[in-house]
């Protein structure tokens, strides 16, 4: 039992961990303890973990159901901490499967709440917006702010933590000079980013390997969102190539430091990535990109019925046009018609990715991400209520 006042934070996957790092620092600067759920970045900033972050990242209905009872136990630990008299506020970060329930509980307990990167109500489940009335919201994009304001929510714009780190790659150079310095060479790797949730990431990785096997990209770097994914990715790689992995394939953890990530992404000759925060970071770094995913069957069926957006790659959503090719593959795509259909479409899209176009996309995205408050400003607004 925690004996001193603390702020409870909950991030359930790598993208939330990226956002949560700044909020952990803000909590500590305010003189309070930071406890809850978070990954390596939040732990490095000073978070005291209450549950194992590695058990949280899951994707889609088909992946959640088998782990329901274990996830429920973890949720109960977090809700017990929220009920503690020493808990003075709750900071939810993305991960609506946990955080919507904890947010509703915090409201019943009359504890101040900040929800960072709240559910994408513009895509589906717009009823969630009504449940978030009375909660301080921090969103990353202006269009999200406008949507939530229509529902009467208290919402502010958060400065994207990656925007400044990527601005040096290649914004500080002229466009022509950027093209000459960032032109792909033999040393530039082609990146595979299959995702941060293990079951989803392994489906995607197997699919990606079928694609690059027929391409001309080399070397190939497979990027794991966290260290615990390296071994599963390496096993998948060996299984795919029957133990004889070709020279040039390697698995490494994505750098936790934002500037290091921006440098890696900017130096790559291209990338194939799963939907999520990584697609925005890659595009901000002017990395030529194609987005593709293989959802489980249940999630695919539910998405076709309820999702209300034409695009799922974040750069396309932000710029309101399909500047990046995106593909959803059925779960059996790897077993049939390997050289035809969606494989040929993705290979063609990869061949058409150009560095000059990627640089223009990066500039357009940076214009969309200008402004916004810092984590300490948002936290101050939430804790001010507690001080009264």
């Amino acid at each position: 039992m925690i004996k001193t006042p603390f702020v409870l934070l909950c991030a359930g996957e790598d993208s939330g961990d990226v956002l949560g790092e700044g909020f952990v620092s803000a909590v500590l600067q305010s003189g309070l303890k930071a406890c809850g759920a978070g990954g390596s970045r939040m732990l490095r900033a000073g978070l005291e973990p209450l549950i194992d972050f590695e058990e949280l990242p899951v994707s889609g209905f088909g992946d959640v159901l088998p782990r329901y009872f274990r996830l429920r136990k973890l949720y109960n630990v977090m809700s017990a901490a929220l009920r503690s008299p020493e808990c003075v506020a709750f900071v939810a970060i993305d991960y609506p499967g946990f955080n919507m329930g904890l947010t509703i509980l915090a409201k019943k307990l009359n504890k101040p709440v900040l929800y960072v990167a709240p559910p994408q109500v513009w895509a589906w489940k717009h009823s969630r917006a009504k449940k978030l009335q009375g909660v301080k919201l921090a969103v990353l994009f202006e269009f999200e702010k406008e949507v939530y304001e229509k529902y009467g929510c208290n919402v502010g714009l958060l400065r994207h933590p990656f925007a400044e780190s990527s601005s040096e790659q290649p914004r500080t150079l002229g466009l022509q000079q950027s093209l000459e310095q960032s032109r792909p060479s033999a040393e530039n790797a082609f990146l595979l980013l299959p995702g941060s949730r293990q079951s989803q990431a392994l489906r995607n990785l197997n699919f990606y390997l079928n694609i690059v096997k027929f391409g001309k990209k080399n070397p190939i770097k497979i990027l794991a969102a966290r260290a615990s994914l390296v071994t599963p990715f390496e096993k998948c790689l060996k299984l795919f190539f029957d133990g004889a992995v070709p020279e040039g394939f390697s698995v490494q953890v994505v750098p936790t430091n934002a500037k290091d990530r921006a440098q890696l992404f900017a130096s790559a000759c291209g990338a194939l990535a799963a939907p999520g925060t990584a697609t925005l970071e890659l595009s901000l770094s002017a990395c030529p990109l194609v987005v593709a995913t293989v959802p489980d069957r249940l999630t695919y069926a539910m998405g076709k019925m309820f999702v209300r957006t034409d695009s799922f790659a974040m750069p396309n959503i932000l710029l309101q046009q399909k500047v990046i090719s995106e593909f959803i593959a059925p779960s059996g795509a790897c077993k049939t018609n390997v050289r035809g259909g969606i494989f040929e479409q993705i290979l063609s899209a990869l061949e058409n990715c150009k560095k000059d176009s990627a640089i223009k996309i990066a500039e357009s995205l940076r214009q969309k991400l200008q402004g916004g408050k810092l984590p300490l400003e948002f936290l101050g607004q939430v804790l001010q209520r507690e001080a009264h």
Side-chain angles (χ1 to χ4, degrees):
M1 182 65 68
I2 304 170
K3 300 296 184 181
T4 56
F6 68 92
V7 174
L8 183 69
L9 299 98
C10 183
E13 52 192 328
D14 187 66
S15 58
D17 188 44
V18 171
L19 298 174
E21 182 178 8
F23 284 92
V24 172
S25 298
V27 170
L28 298 181
Q29 287 181 56
S30 72
L32 296 166
K33 291 180 68 174
C35 304
S40 59
R41 297 172 182 86
M42 293 173 69
L43 295 176
R44 183 181 58 199
L47 178 76
E48 296 186 20
L50 299 181
I51 59 177
D52 184 1
F53 175 79
E54 294 295 334
E55 296 195 61
L56 295 177
V58 291
S59 176
F61 300 98
D63 295 336
V64 170
L65 292 177
R67 299 179 58 187
Y68 171 80
F69 292 106
R70 179 57 187 161
L71 291 170
R72 188 69 196 181
K73 288 182 179 179
L74 299 176
Y75 177 86
N76 290 340
V77 173
M78 295 293 288
S79 62
L82 185 57
R83 288 187 172 92
S84 169
E86 283 73 31
C87 179
V88 300
F90 174 51
V91 178
I93 308 165
D94 198 357
Y95 203 59
F98 260 42
N99 282 330
M100 282 301 297
L102 292 172
T103 295
I104 292 170
L105 175 59
K107 289 176 66 176
K108 290 179 180 177
L109 296 171
N110 198 33
K111 294 190 176 183
V113 182
L114 170 63
Y115 204 136
V116 183
Q120 297 171 337
V121 296
W122 42 268
W124 76 317
K125 288 190 176 181
H126 58 273
S127 60
R128 285 174 166 175
K130 296 178 181 179
K131 295 178 181 178
L132 292 174
Q133 292 172 346
V135 171
K136 181 66 179 178
L137 306 180
V139 299
L140 292 166
F141 313 118
E142 186 65 41
F143 80 91
E144 290 183 298
K145 183 173 181 290
E146 294 171 358
V147 171
Y148 270 109
E149 284 176 339
K150 290 180 181 179
Y151 288 97
C153 293
N154 180 9
V155 56
L157 193 64
L158 173 66
R159 188 177 302 173
H160 197 286
F162 194 79
E164 291 184 17
S165 300
S166 64
S167 63
E168 303 170 10
Q169 321 273 350
R171 192 182 186 185
T172 56
L173 303 170
L175 176 59
Q176 200 58 41
Q177 185 181 359
S178 298
L179 289 172
E180 293 303 317
Q181 293 193 8
S182 58
R183 189 81 62 186
S185 67
E187 290 74 35
N188 292 145
F190 183 77
L191 308 179
L192 302 181
L193 291 89
S196 62
R197 304 163 180 177
Q198 182 168 319
S199 55
Q200 177 72 59
L202 289 174
R203 277 196 301 271
N204 286 339
L205 180 54
N206 189 56
F207 181 65
Y208 293 178
L209 291 173
N210 271 289
I211 294 167
V212 298
K213 183 170 75 171
F214 297 109
K216 301 176 182 178
K217 307 293 186 182
N218 193 55
I220 305 289
K221 284 188 179 180
I222 302 167
L223 300 185
R226 53 191 189 283
S228 64
L229 289 175
V230 171
T231 298
F233 283 5
E234 289 177 340
K235 288 181 179 178
C236 180
L237 191 58
K238 290 178 181 178
L239 184 64
F240 183 84
F241 288 107
D242 295 323
V245 178
E247 184 178 355
F249 282 79
S250 63
V251 180
Q252 71 177 64
V253 180
V254 177
T256 57
N257 180 274
K259 288 187 177 180
D260 291 340
R261 288 202 306 283
Q263 184 175 2
L264 171 63
F265 294 165
S267 67
C269 65
L272 181 59
T277 302
T279 64
L280 182 59
E281 293 191 354
L282 286 160
S283 292
L284 282 168
S285 303
C287 178
L289 171 67
V290 171
V291 181
T293 189
V294 185
D296 68 86
R297 294 180 187 275
L298 182 55
T299 300
Y300 181 73
M302 295 288 285
K304 289 190 72 173
M305 285 191 291
F306 297 113
V307 174
R308 300 175 298 164
T309 177
D310 293 331
S311 296
F312 59 87
M314 190 55 68
N316 292 341
I317 293 170
L318 283 176
L319 298 178
Q320 298 182 327
Q321 56 180 313
K322 289 197 174 181
V323 294
I324 291 171
S325 298
E326 54 180 47
F327 300 88
I328 297 178
S331 59
C334 296
K335 299 178 181 178
T336 60
N337 198 22
V338 172
R339 286 307 306 261
I342 195 167
F343 287 90
E344 292 291 358
Q345 294 175 42
I346 294 176
L347 280 169
S348 175
L350 289 171
E351 289 301 316
N352 289 327
C353 284
K354 305 299 181 185
K355 193 70 175 183
D356 53 350
S357 297
I359 290 173
K360 293 176 182 178
I361 292 170
E363 291 294 336
S364 298
L365 287 170
R366 287 192 195 100
Q367 293 176 13
K368 289 282 187 178
L369 297 176
Q370 290 178 347
K373 299 177 183 177
L374 294 171
L376 191 58
E377 296 177 77
F378 277 103
L379 187 70
Q381 293 173 351
V382 171
L383 295 179
Q384 184 179 15
R385 181 183 134 192
E386 180 70 15
H388 290 318

